Each structure stands twice: as structure tokens, then as C-alpha cells.
């Protein structure tokens, strides 16, 4: 599996290099049409990778599928691996939507110019992939102990109930975030933006820009959301490769999905409830997997995938059928009115 892991990491780095170095080399505002196109591209890449998953696990390429999956006690064949990979991808993708709402709050609070938001998300997602790799490696070892599975399941049920009965936007105030206060206290931060730069030199000392502060908050926000999403996918499989690849492809498409949804976030008012139900269902599945397998048969993961699609579909349809509130959302109004601040030409820039 070592060379499979190396090949996948190189493949992801190549995709990221093409993204930032070729297709998004120049800073520009991402329009909805472009965002939807890239969202489709990333989804297509994730689906195409499932073909590799099938043949790799079916024919045991370089050790793929030879380890016992601790969640259901079986060796993953091609079909089982694909179902688990796609289920993990859909769950991670759906949970990342809630992350998008928080990112919008962050960008609004810091008044990040629209043309620089892609750069912040790019580096934020690169850091998120590294952090999740560490968390997945740790989680893969923990789930070998059966009691950890019960803890993860109970945590997901609790998180789902909490998400269902708490308000979303009001609970996220970047100004009161302890990370924001700590960074401002420890490191000097400029009041104005300096293009797409994260660090500048002023009066002989290095200073962070508000763009860097926004990046730090994006990273910490993703870390918080990973605490929910990582246990959720371990409810499906304990195979580290399936967990990591499904997470990575879901995260890679997060940037384009953000720009695609940023203009209509106020329309999906019931989606948060759907995400909460998904977490509860996944948590229940995690603590009752043995009984579900005995009752539903070996394809119970496929039923879970269909159930997740159904829950999300109901949330989306219910949201779209609900009449749009007049006046729009203050958060999205401010988001669309952002403009790039002037640059201080007397400052020496550091990339």
C-alpha cells in the first residue's frame, strides 16, 4: 500500500498545482457559472476515482483490501469498497456545506475581497488535508478498540441533536473567537489588506495581514468540523485509504462549492436540519452496525447511502419550496458588497 499512498498524494498535489498555478493563477472574482463548472469537475474526478477503488480492491493491487475492516469485520472487495468510499464522500460533502456557512461569516467579518477568497480557501484546504491525514491515522488505530466505536457513535448522535436545536450563524462570531484574540495578541496584524499577501514588512518588522488572519480562522474552523466528520466516516469504514481519499476529494471540491452556494445560502434554511439528521442516523448506525448487518444483510451500507441521499434531498426540496424571505440575509448582503481596499505602496511586500 505504500506506493498506492504515495501515488495518491502525488496525484492530489498535481491537481492542486494545476488549480492554483494554471487555472487560478491570476486573482479574480469567481462567478457562479465558473464555480458550478468546477464543482462538476471535482465531483466527476471523485466518481472516476471510484473506478480505481473498485479494481484496486477487487484485484488486491499492492495490498489493497487485504486488511480486515474493523467496522464490519470483513475484507473489502471491489463493490464493498466503492460503496463505502462513495458513502464517506457523500457524508463528508454534505457536512462540509455547514462549513461553507461559517466560511461566509468569516469572509464577511474580515471583509475579505472577493477576488482573494479563492487563495485563502486554497491554502486553507491544503492545510486541512494535512490535518485530516493525521486525524485519520489516529482514528484508524483507535477504532480497533470496540469501545471507541460506541464513543464515536454517541458523540455523533449528541452532535446531531445539538446541531438541530441550536442556531447556526449567531453562534459564530469571529471577533469573539479565542484564536482571533490570541493571534492579534501574539503577532502584529495590519489594519489594511495588501493585495493577496499574507505577510508584509513594515518599519523593519514582519506583520500579518487580515488575509492571513482569515486563513488562520479557516484552518481552525475546519479542524473543529473535522471532529464531527472524521468519526462520521469511521462509522462507514475503518480502512484508512477509503477514509482519506473520500475526505480529500470532498474537501478539494469545497472551494468551488462555496462560490456556487454563496449567493443563495439563505435559501437552504432546512439543510442544517437534514445534516443534523444525517449525523444522528450515522451515529445510530455506528453503535448498531452488528444488528443492522444481521437484519438488513451485507448490503446495509448501500441502504445507508440511499438514506443519506434521501435525507439531504428532502432538506433541499423543502428549502427550495419555502418562499424566500424579503430583504435577504444581512450576512450575504454584506458578502456581496465587499470591495478590495487600497494598497499601501510604501510597504515592502513578502510573498
Amino acid at each position: 500500500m505504500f506506493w498506492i499512498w504515495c501515488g495518491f498524494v502525488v496525484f492530489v498535489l498535481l491537481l492542486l498545482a494545476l488549480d492554483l498555478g494554471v487555472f487560478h493563477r491570476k486573482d479574480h472574482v469567481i462567478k457562479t457559472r465558473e464555480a458550478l463548472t468546477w464543482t462538476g469537475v471535482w465531483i466527476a474526478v471523485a466518481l472516476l476515482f471510484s473506478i480505481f477503488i473498485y479494481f484496486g480492491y477487487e484485484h488486491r493491487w499492492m495490498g489493497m483490501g487485504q486488511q480486515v475492516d474493523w467496522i464490519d469485520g470483513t475484507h473489502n472487495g471491489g463493490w464493498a469498497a466503492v460503496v463505502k468510499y462513495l458513502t464517506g464522500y457523500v457524508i463528508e460533502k454534505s457536512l462540509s456545506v455547514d462549513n461553507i456557512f461559517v466560511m461566509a461569516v468569516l469572509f464577511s467579518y474580515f471583509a475579505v475581497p472577493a477576488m482573494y477568497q479563492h487563495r485563502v480557501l486554497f491554502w486553507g484546504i491544503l492545510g486541512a488535508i494535512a490535518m485530516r491525514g493525521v486525524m485519520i491515522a489516529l482514528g484508524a488505530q483507535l477504532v480497533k478498540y470496540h469501545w471507541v466505536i460506541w464513543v464515536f457513535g454517541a458523540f455523533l448522535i449528541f452532535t446531531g441533536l445539538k446541531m438541530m436545536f441550536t442556531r447556526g450563524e449567531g453562534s459564530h462570531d469571529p471577533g469573539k473567537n479565542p484564536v482571533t484574540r490570541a493571534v492579534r495578541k501574539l503577532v502584529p496584524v495590519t489594519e489594511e489588506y495588501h493585495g493577496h499577501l499574507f505577510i508584509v514588512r513594515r518599519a523593519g518588522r514582519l506583520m500579518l495581514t487580515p488575509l492571513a488572519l482569515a486563513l488562520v480562522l479557516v484552518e481552525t474552523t475546519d479542524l473543529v468540523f473535522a471532529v464531527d466528520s472524521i468519526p462520521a466516516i469511521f462509522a462507514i469504514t475503518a480502512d484508512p485509504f477509503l477514509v482519506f481519499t473520500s475526505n480529500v476529494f470532498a474537501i478539494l471540491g469545497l472551494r468551488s462549492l462555496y462560490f456556487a452556494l454563496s449567493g443563495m445560502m439563505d435559501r437552504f434554511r432546512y439543510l442544517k436540519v437534514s445534516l443534523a439528521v444525517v449525523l444522528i442516523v450515522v451515529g445510530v448506525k455506528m453503535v448498531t452496525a452488528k444488528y443492522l448487518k444481521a437484519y438488513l444483510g451485507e448490503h446495509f451500507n448501500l441502504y445507508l447511502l440511499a438514506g443519506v441521499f434521501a435525507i439531504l434531498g428532502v432538506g433541499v426540496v423543502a428549502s427550495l419550496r419555502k418562499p424566500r424571505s424579503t430583504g435577504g440575509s444581512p450576512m450575504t448582503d454584506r458578502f456581496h458588497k465587499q470591495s478590495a481596499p487600497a494598497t499601501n505602496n510604501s510597504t515592502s511586500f513578502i510573498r
Side-chain angles (χ1 to χ4, degrees), residues 158-174:
F158 170 78
T159 303
L161 292 172
K162 182 180 178 181
M163 182 186 296
M164 187 177 297
F165 296 107
T166 56
R167 297 186 61 181
E169 294 176 13
S171 60
H172 301 285
D173 187 350

Side-chain angles (χ1 to χ4, degrees), residues 168-181:
E169 294 176 13
S171 60
H172 301 285
D173 187 350
K176 299 179 181 179
N177 192 299
V179 176
T180 305
R181 296 177 177 178

Side-chain angles (χ1 to χ4, degrees), residues 88-245:
Y89 174 77
V90 171
I91 290 176
E92 174 62 31
K93 196 76 169 177
S94 59
L95 292 177
S96 67
V97 173
D98 202 40
N99 201 354
I100 288 176
F101 283 78
V102 179
M103 287 181 181
V105 175
L106 293 177
F107 285 156
S108 177
Y109 177 83
F110 290 106
V112 178
M115 65 186 303
Y116 303 139
Q117 290 172 6
H118 181 276
R119 182 171 294 269
V120 174
L121 292 177
F122 175 88
W123 291 109
I125 286 171
L126 191 62
I129 291 175
M131 287 190 298
R132 293 192 181 213
V134 174
M135 296 178 68
I136 289 170
L138 178 62
Q141 297 302 315
L142 289 177
V143 294
K144 294 180 180 180
Y145 304 96
H146 190 72
W147 62 269
V148 174
I149 297 177
W150 286 76
V151 172
F152 279 0
F155 175 75
L156 290 175
I157 295 172
F158 170 78
T159 303
L161 292 172
K162 182 180 178 181
M163 182 186 296
M164 187 177 297
F165 296 107
T166 56
R167 297 186 61 181
E169 294 176 13
S171 60
H172 301 285
D173 187 350
K176 299 179 181 179
N177 192 299
V179 176
T180 305
R181 296 177 177 178
V183 172
R184 289 188 180 277
K185 184 176 181 180
L186 297 174
V187 184
V189 180
T190 64
E191 294 295 331
E192 68 280 358
Y193 283 88
H194 297 274
H196 63 226
L197 302 178
F198 294 108
I199 304 175
V200 297
R201 186 186 298 276
R202 300 190 66 177
R205 66 172 182 169
L206 297 178
M207 300 183 68
L208 297 181
T209 66
L211 203 66
L213 193 56
L215 175 60
V216 172
L217 266 293
V218 168
E219 294 282 16
T220 54
T221 297
D222 183 80
L223 181 61
V224 172
F225 276 90
V227 175
D228 297 338
S229 61
I230 296 300
I233 194 171
F234 273 113
I236 312 303
T237 178
D239 187 313
F241 189 71
L242 295 178
V243 174
F244 185 67
T245 53

